[in-house]
Amino acid sequence: MGFMSMVEVTKDLPRSGDGLPMEWIDAPFGPFFPGLPGGLSLNLTLDGDTIARAEAAAMSDPADLLPSGSMTPDAFAARLSGLVPLAPMSYALLARRAIEAAAGIEMPDGAARSRIVALERERIASHLNWLALFAHQNGLEDLAVRAASLQLAVAWADVAAIEERGPALRALCDRVRRVPLLRARLSGVGRLADADDLRGPVSRASGGTADGRSDDPASVALGFAPVSTGGGDALARLRQRIDEIGQSLALIAAAGSTAAPAPVETGAVSGQGTAIVETPRGAATLQVTLEVGKVTAAKISTPSVRHLALVPALCDQQELGDAMVAIGSLDLCPWEARL
């Protein structure tokens, strides 16, 4: 009667980690999946509710830093700023610093402090934006709403307004540290041990101390020192960003200036320059070439490119829900990943 045994039926199926045969299913997530950053695409192969394989990519096409072949310094800074809408100030400053290095320009102390305020304000807003998404992903809607509200209030605030909201920001951070559900849900998830291969808060949550601000004399003069958290899991990455919000508040208060950064005046000089800026997601490096006062070549390295490559190993043999939390805790920026 054509009877087939279970051994015969399952002989060509892939084997799970426990040795049992099971049909694997390909499941795409993104680019608008609410549990992931917008623009991030995941292609997962599911073995039941366990991930057998994972691939991650930014959905947007690779960006051309110099679409016209050469650009004025201000146009290039605006271009780079617009390419990363989650951290426009960080990347505009990265462009300006690299151009200044190529032209041999040094910023006066007042301008340097203003830049620090702009960067730290953006860091606070970025961490709050991440916290809102992460809280929503984990079902904490009240926390998500509060974080989003403070993010909007801080994003373009001056020093006085930021100091006025300081108590509310610190209260939110204290509240996050006390939520028992977060400790239970995040502890041990997405553990990353090797801080040397990581960047920014992800590295410092694994015990690393690398921070681009350590090499910035203006930041050090304001009392900056790296903040590092041990553990290397999703809970440690949450706590790291919470600690950095408090650190940024202290730096803003010490700097006390929010004057807009001035345009770069290079004249008709030529040269090469490199700059590093500690963006909210980690150190970004830019090298530019100036020819007769115009940017003619540029090469960039961003933290999200490195962290996007972590996804396959981070998801391997993990339960689907834990893998989504681990990916969310990286704070990936698809716009950075296309540079």
Side-chain angles (χ1 to χ4, degrees):
M1 300 296 292
F3 173 79
M4 296 179 68
S5 69
M6 185 59 68
V7 172
E8 291 175 305
V9 170
T10 62
K11 65 184 178 67
D12 295 324
L13 293 178
R15 262 43 181 182
S16 303
D18 57 8
L20 296 175
M22 181 175 289
E23 184 175 4
W24 290 359
I25 299 172
D26 291 330
F29 290 83
F32 303 113
F33 186 72
L36 295 171
L40 180 67
S41 174
L42 291 180
N43 289 311
L44 306 180
T45 300
L46 299 180
D47 173 14
D49 65 351
T50 301
I51 297 176
R53 286 193 296 265
E55 296 178 353
M59 288 296 291
S60 55
D61 294 331
D64 188 351
L65 296 183
L66 288 164
S68 60
S70 67
M71 302 179 76
T72 66
D74 288 342
F76 178 72
R79 166 75 176 169
L80 192 56
S81 175
L83 288 175
V84 190
L86 292 182
M89 184 59 67
S90 296
Y91 282 88
L93 180 54
L94 179 64
R96 290 189 174 106
R97 282 185 174 176
I99 291 167
E100 289 160 4
I105 298 172
E106 293 188 9
M107 284 292 100
D109 290 343
R113 288 196 300 272
S114 295
R115 289 177 168 185
I116 289 171
V117 169
L119 280 176
E120 299 308 319
R121 178 179 59 193
E122 185 167 85
R123 195 179 319 278
I124 294 171
S126 180
H127 286 353
L128 289 171
N129 182 64
W130 170 82
L131 178 60
L133 177 63
F134 199 60
H136 174 72
Q137 182 189 53
N138 288 279
L140 300 173
E141 292 302 327
D142 288 348
L143 179 58
V145 170
R146 185 58 178 154
S149 175
L150 284 171
Q151 185 266 334
L152 292 173
V154 167
W156 299 106
D158 59 17
V159 169
I162 293 172
E163 290 180 344
E164 182 179 345
R165 288 171 174 81
L169 288 165
R170 293 185 179 90
L172 176 68
C173 293
D174 289 342
R175 177 186 170 189
V176 170
R177 293 186 184 97
R178 294 196 303 267
V179 176
L181 175 62
L182 284 173
R183 290 196 297 273
R185 180 68 186 92
L186 305 181
S187 182
V189 173
R191 193 178 300 279
L192 296 167
D194 191 356
D196 292 339
D197 289 335
L198 308 173
R199 294 293 181 269
V202 176
S203 172
R204 293 188 287 275
S206 294
T209 57
D211 192 308
R213 292 170 289 180
S214 297
D215 297 323
D216 177 27
S219 296
V220 174
L222 294 177
F224 171 79
V227 173
S228 181
T229 305
D233 55 9
L235 179 61
R237 292 190 278 278
L238 169 68
R239 289 174 170 169
Q240 178 67 35
R241 294 187 180 97
I242 291 301
D243 289 345
E244 289 188 8
I245 289 175
Q247 181 186 46
S248 293
L249 287 171
L251 287 172
I252 290 172
S257 173
T258 52
V264 180
E265 298 291 344
T266 61
V269 301
S270 298
Q272 286 188 332
T274 301
I276 299 175
V277 166
E278 186 70 23
T279 77
R281 291 164 186 82
T285 304
L286 176 68
Q287 183 182 60
V288 301
T289 298
L290 285 180
E291 294 183 8
V292 197
K294 288 191 174 182
V295 180
T296 57
K299 182 179 180 181
I300 193 169
S301 172
T302 68
S304 287
V305 171
R306 183 176 295 270
H307 293 163
L308 193 65
L310 298 171
V311 171
L314 202 61
C315 293
D316 186 44
Q317 298 305 309
Q318 299 300 306
E319 188 271 333
L320 178 60
D322 286 349
M324 289 297 187
V325 170
I327 294 169
S329 72
L330 296 177
D331 191 16
L332 296 170
C333 174
W335 289 277
E336 278 186 354
R338 66 178 179 160
L339 296 179

